[in-house]
Amino acid sequence: MTAADIRALGYRVYEAINKQNIAALEELFDPRVIRHATGEIGIESVKNAVAHAFPTTFPDKCFVVEDVLVEGDKAALRVTVHGVPVASGQPQPVIIEIFRIENGRVAEVWGAGTSR
C-alpha cells in the first residue's frame, strides 16, 4: 500500500466507527487484530469497543481525525472527540493511535488518550 492508501485507511476506520458500521470494521481490521492498550486480540474486541464508544449519555459523540502521519506500514492518528461535555476553556478530549497495516488491513493498534 502507498502512504496515501494507508492515510485513507485511517480515515475510513474512524468513518466506520462514527457510523457504527460493523461490516466495514470487519473489512478494515485483520480478524486477528492486536489491540495493545487493552491486551485484546481479534475483531470481536474492536466491535465491542465501538459498541461501547457511543453510550446513550453522549448520543452526539463523534471522532474527528485531525492528523494522519504515515511511515512505512504504520499510521499515527490524532483524533479529537466531539459531542462530550468539557469544562469551560478546556480542549476536546484527544486520542493518539498508531495502526500497523498488513495486507491492506489494520493488524495492530497502539493507543492512548484523554477520551471520555
Side-chain angles (χ1 to χ4, degrees), residues 9-87:
L9 179 62
Y11 283 100
R12 284 196 315 269
V13 164
Y14 272 95
E15 179 181 344
I17 290 169
N18 283 330
K19 293 180 178 179
Q20 296 182 299
N21 185 339
I22 300 302
L25 292 171
E26 290 175 338
E27 292 176 17
L28 297 168
F29 285 87
D30 185 281
R32 297 167 313 280
V33 61
I34 300 168
R35 296 178 62 230
H36 292 280
T38 60
E40 297 172 322
I41 298 173
I43 188 66
E44 291 303 316
S45 72
V46 174
K47 293 191 283 189
N48 287 335
V50 170
H52 293 100
F54 293 89
T56 56
T57 54
F58 304 124
D60 297 327
K61 185 176 188 178
C62 73
F63 301 91
V64 178
V65 177
E66 304 290 350
D67 295 302
V68 180
L69 305 173
V70 177
E71 178 71 30
D73 65 349
K74 293 184 181 78
L77 296 89
R78 180 176 63 94
V79 180
T80 55
V81 183
H82 294 265
V84 297
V86 295

Side-chain angles (χ1 to χ4, degrees), residues 28 105 108:
L28 297 168
R105 294 170 136 181
E108 291 184 81

